[in-house]
Every structure is written in C-alpha cells, then in structure tokens.
Amino acid sequence: MDLPLVLIDRFIRFARHLKPEISLSMQDPIAPPKYLPPHVAQFLSKALELSAAIISTLWSTLRFDVWDLVSAQLCLSERSLFDEHGSRTIAKHHKLGTISRVQATYFTRDGPFPAYSTSLRCKSDTCDIRYYLNYSVDIKQHIRQYYVSDDIPEVLHLEEHSFIQTALSELFTACTLFAWVHESRFVLTSIQVRRAFILISLLRDWREQGSTLVMLEQGDLDLRLKDLISERNNRMIIAGQPERLHACDICEKRSLRAVVTDGTTLGHYSCKVHNCTEPLVNIRHHWCPTHTKQLQHLCVFTDCNRPARHGYRTCDNTAHSKYEEYRNLKTKGFFLLRQRLQRAGIDQPSSSLALDTTLEDVVDLEGGQIEDPVHKSDKGNRPSKVLFARRRVHNVQFVVATCGVIIAQAPMFGAESISGVKDFLKSVYPNPQDLPDVLFYDNNCQLQSHLQAQGDNHFCGTMLPVDVFHFKSKHKESDEFCQKHCNPSQWTELVGEDGEWVFNSSAAEQSNVWSGGYQAILRDMLPHNFNFFLDEMIKRRNEVLIAKLRCEGRAPYCIPSYPAQ
C-alpha cells in the first residue's frame, strides 16, 4: 500500500476528531477498538476517497497513535468534508458529552443478546437535553420527544434496560393479527410485547399525521402511554379509519357502493349503570368513579334503593337476601349434583340440605318461566333485575364494506338500540353525500320506522334493505312494513342478471368471525386499550386486504370526502 504522507496525516487527524463518536460503541474507552464502527469507516472512506479495505488497514496500523493524540486541528476545507458527508462532530455544533451507559438486553428474532444503553448530554450550560437511541429528553421539563424520521427505527428503546428489534415486534403483531395469538405466548413478558406494539403503532400513526411523538418522561409508562392512546382513540372517532370511504370493484357495482352494519358480542367492562359511558378505573370495579360513591353500598337489585347488609350485597328484604343465599349456594358441588338428581327424576330427602331453597323457588326468583334458548321472545330481551357480576358493553358495532374491509367500529353501551346505531352511522358518515348507496342492516325495518317518526332525512338517499340471511330467517312475513320497505329483492339493482345477489350482504357476519378470535385477548382490557387494540388490528387487517385487492386487479381506492355540513 503506497499512500501519500499528506493523506495518512489527514486520516490520523480525522480519526482523532471522531474519537468521541468511536467511543460510543465501546465498553472500555481507554484503549482503541479493534475495528471502527461501520458508519465511521464509511464516512472516512467517502471523505478521504479511499476504499473500505484501506481504511480498515490504516486503522489497524495506526489506531494506538490516533488514540494517544491530544487533539486534531482541522482547516476550513476539511471541515466542509464533515458537513458534506454527514458527520456532525464539528466545532460549530455543541458537543455531546457526559456519557451514561447501563447494561441492557437486546431482543431480536435470533434471540436475546447482552447490550449497553448509551445516552449523551449536551455540554452547553444552557442546554438540558439528553439524547438516547430513539428520543431526546428535556431533563428540566421531563419531556420525551422522539426523533423525526421517515421510517420506524429498526431498534426500539423499549425500557431503560431493554431494546427490541422492530422486526421481532412486528412478527408478534402478525401472529396476533392472523392467528389470534395472545401476548403471553411469546418469549418476552406480556408487558414488553404489549408496550412494543403500542409504541410502534403510535410512532406509525404520528408519522402518518406528520407530527412528532411527545410524551412525559417520568411516572409509570403505562399511565403515560394512556394519554397518547386516548388521543389516538379520539382522533380515530373524529377522522375514522383510513379506509372510511373505501371502494373497489367488489363493493362498488352498477354505480352503487354498498356496506353492511352489524354487532358482535365483543365488549369491555363498563359501569353497571345503564348507558353510562364513563370508563372504569380498574377492570375489577363495578361502577365508574361518578357512580361508585352513589351505588357501591346499595342493594344490587336494580329496583331497590335500600342499603346492603354488612358483609352482603343485598338488603334485608327477604326475597333479595334469599336470592343471594341461593346464588352463593348454586356454585357448590352438592347443589350441582342435586340438580342432576332432579333432572333424572330421583327424589332427594329434604334433610340433606341445610337451606329450604328449592329449584321451583329459584325459577320464581328469576322471573318465572325458563325462556327458549333458541328463539328470541317477541317481547324482546328481558332486562336483568339484579346485577351481582360486573357488566360489559352490550356489543361492538361494525360497518363493513361488502368486500370485507372494515370501515368503523364502536361499542354499544346498554343495548344495540336503533337510536344508537343511527348515531353511530352518522358519526361515520357525518355528511349525507359520503353515505354509501346501499346500507344493509339486520334491523333496517325498525331503523326506517324510527327515522320516519323522527323526521330524519339524513339517510334519504340510501337504500336500507335487510341483509338476505336475516330477512329469510329473522323477519316475519306478517310484518307488512318490513316486507314493503326492507325486502332486498324489491331493488332490482341488487340482483344480477344470473339471479344472484350483486353484493355480499353477509360481509359483517364474516368479519365477526375474525374479530371473535380476539375475545380472550380483549376481555380484560380497559376501554382505552380495548379500542386502541381493536382499531389497530382493523387498520392492519385492512392494509392486508387492500394489498390483496390491488394484486387481484380490484382497483381499491378512497372516495374524496365532502366537508361536514
């Protein structure tokens, strides 16, 4: 290797000037490392116009001389090389120092590896910023700000002593998305898996919004993430899913765009007061903070305002206390065995039970005759008169394009009421011009009747048929209003030339099968985590479906939205 002395001298001074940068990757900065960090070697190769092999040889030969050099002076033309090739370790910038390094674990797809977490603080007396891998922290204001980047970082600083490869977290998310795998099934702790999923999802969302992710630095991480999650949830309620106005060759035919709305039995815990939307502080609570003070010491029978007995959950009313005794008794093994004997028609001596409760008394206490478990009563659902257990929201309502893309979701508190479904649809389509041309719903007959009674013209430009499955199996032929206004066959546009239905009106039922797989994952989540997780899974599922539709030549696109009126 024959190099000019001037070039060797420049290599030594450049490498010495980069000593602080080289030291960041070292466990022991006293002696020079055997190899240069890749980004430093790449910079020296470009600045000096030398090959990577020559740079490696120079460093191997001269590294101790470089390390022992007191300082390196750079002329103006040499400083311009640092600007041109990306290094920021020049005099016009404040230098970073006060290195802090702690041991950490780096979780990758190849397994966990030991690592060090290094942070630097600015040397300026007026600056209180400490810089970490993914973010900087204002020490005085206790504010964390993530760096602006076009891409999600390849390595995520998850906790003080742990890093996770983004590809690993995305692998976990894919397993959850396609196979409903619970976070507890992975090698990392469920808390680490959940936090990585939340942070990456938030970074993606903030990047799509063109803003910077900022959060508090002190306090419990889950509580700090809660504020960001709630902000994202509120924005999702206002703006909706990215595919809110989705259309493609499957769900848009004959110049008509069709969607389906339906409910599924997913749901988070909620306050036991009917239609109360205030979130619980803890999933073990029965009431929201507002109603806890009012109701926690009262009898659990909904029509009773008397205080509960000490150590019990019912008042001193004989019927109420007897029901609580029965409820506590029926979970016992001998009570269950007694039920089996009575079903078999075998008498049992009354002396074998300490209490005088009979199964006939139980039927009377619970409201009379046992209902048919298959066919719904004409009187509708019977409201519960006693609430011992915690309560969940009634269902989650979905709006689904007939191609399977999920457009929106919202929890229904108390019941899937017609007015609630109407308000939900209005929130998804606040401008009537954004509404689809066809809206399938299994209870459109009641919805149309409600709209007529209210004089509501928001949906006047939309066909409101009942979906084919429910119309055939759940709606009576004697219901003249339903047969006249909601029979899907009355719209010739919905029937093809071959006699088949143009749109898949069961798309919502099919998406319910997918969302039902998350029952075990979602059941113990608080409302903010519940909605965030479900919205993110819907968003990612839609991305997969859109890519598939595009590959099949279905021309997916989003209709431009009209401004809200």
Side-chain angles (χ1 to χ4, degrees), residues 71 76 88 105 123 250 312 330 360 395 493 513 524 553:
S71 62
L76 185 61
R88 297 180 180 178
T105 303
K123 288 185 176 181
I250 296 179
Y312 293 90
K330 70 177 183 179
E360 289 73 17
N395 66 281
E493 301 94 331
V513 176
D524 289 332

Side-chain angles (χ1 to χ4, degrees), residues 253-254 256 438 440 463 465 487-503:
K253 297 179 179 179
R254 298 185 174 184
L256 298 176
V438 185
F440 293 98
M463 304 178 193
N487 190 331
S489 63
Q490 70 173 300
W491 287 282
T492 57
E493 301 94 331
L494 302 183
V495 183
E497 296 177 357
D498 56 357
E500 298 292 330
W501 297 103
V502 172
F503 297 109

Side-chain angles (χ1 to χ4, degrees), residues 99-113:
I99 299 176
S100 173
R101 183 179 286 113
V102 297
Q103 290 184 338
T105 303
Y106 176 36
F107 297 97
T108 73
R109 296 183 67 167
D110 298 322
F113 294 92

Side-chain angles (χ1 to χ4, degrees), residues 22 25-26 28 31-37 55-61 63-64 67:
I22 299 171
S25 61
M26 299 171 55
D28 182 12
K34 188 175 181 180
Y35 303 102
L36 284 172
I55 293 296
S56 177
T57 302
L58 286 172
W59 176 254
S60 178
T61 305
R63 59 193 178 103
F64 288 100
W67 218 248

Side-chain angles (χ1 to χ4, degrees), residues 18 20 41 44 81 83 110 217 242 263 294 304 319 324 395 472 524 561:
L18 291 169
L44 291 173
L81 293 174
D83 284 335
D110 298 322
E217 175 61 19
Q294 305 172 10
C304 180
E324 184 174 14
N395 66 281
K472 292 190 299 182
D524 289 332
S561 176

Side-chain angles (χ1 to χ4, degrees), residues 193-203 222 225 229 529 532:
V193 175
R194 182 174 68 251
R195 286 175 175 174
F197 164 75
I198 292 173
L199 278 173
I200 291 175
S201 300
L202 289 173
L203 286 170
D222 290 331
L225 289 174
I229 289 172
N529 284 327
F532 178 83

Side-chain angles (χ1 to χ4, degrees), residues 351-420:
S351 59
S352 64
L353 280 179
L355 296 175
D356 295 330
T357 305
T358 65
L359 294 183
E360 289 73 17
D361 294 334
V362 172
V363 173
D364 291 339
L365 284 169
E366 294 190 321
Q369 298 297 321
I370 299 175
E371 294 183 356
D372 185 344
V374 177
H375 299 90
K376 186 174 180 179
S377 170
D378 292 338
K379 299 179 181 179
N381 293 328
R382 187 187 67 202
S384 177
K385 295 182 179 180
V386 57
L387 295 173
F388 279 100
R390 293 169 294 173
R391 186 174 194 165
R392 294 182 182 272
V393 297
H394 183 271
N395 66 281
V396 172
Q397 195 75 14
F398 287 103
V399 175
V400 185
T402 52
C403 63
V405 171
I406 299 177
I407 292 171
Q409 68 86 17
M412 292 286 147
F413 293 83
E416 187 184 335
S417 64
I418 296 301
S419 60

